[in-house]
Amino acid sequence: MSKSKIVKANKKIEEKVVKTYTTIENGAVEGFGNISDKFVDKYLAKDGESAQDAKKRIEAEQNQREKTNIDIINKHR
C-alpha cells in the first residue's frame, strides 16, 4: 500500500472517530443538562419559577455570598 492510501485511510478513520466522539459528547452534555434542569425544577425552584430562572437566581445568590465572604476576609486583614 502506498503512503497516499495509508494517509487517506487514516483520515477516514480520524473523521469517523471524531464524529463518534462528538455524538457521544453532545449526548452526555445534553443528558446532564436535562437531569440538572429536572433537579433544579423539583428541589430548588420557587413557586412558578422556571428552572432557568431558578438557576439564574441561585447563581446571583452564590455570587453575593462570595462577595460577602471576600469583604469579611478583607475586613479582618
Side-chain angles (χ1 to χ4, degrees):
M1 208 155 50
S2 71
K3 187 174 182 178
S4 176
K5 288 183 179 178
I6 292 173
V7 170
K8 288 179 182 177
N10 283 343
K11 186 68 175 172
K12 285 183 181 179
I13 292 169
E14 174 191 353
E15 290 170 357
K16 180 75 173 177
V17 168
V18 169
K19 183 180 177 184
T20 303
Y21 172 82
T22 302
T23 302
I24 292 169
E25 180 183 33
N26 290 341
V29 169
E30 186 177 318
F32 176 81
N34 290 339
I35 291 169
S36 174
D37 287 347
K38 287 179 183 177
F39 177 84
V40 169
D41 191 42
K42 184 169 184 169
Y43 296 108
L44 303 175
K46 295 182 178 180
D47 292 334
E49 188 177 43
S50 71
Q52 296 303 323
D53 291 340
K55 285 181 178 182
K56 289 177 186 174
R57 177 182 48 79
I58 292 166
E59 182 179 3
E61 290 172 355
Q62 179 64 29
N63 290 338
Q64 182 59 41
R65 279 192 297 275
E66 289 173 3
K67 183 182 179 305
T68 301
N69 289 343
I70 289 172
D71 290 344
I72 290 170
I73 290 170
N74 289 334
K75 182 180 177 182
H76 291 284
R77 284 189 175 175

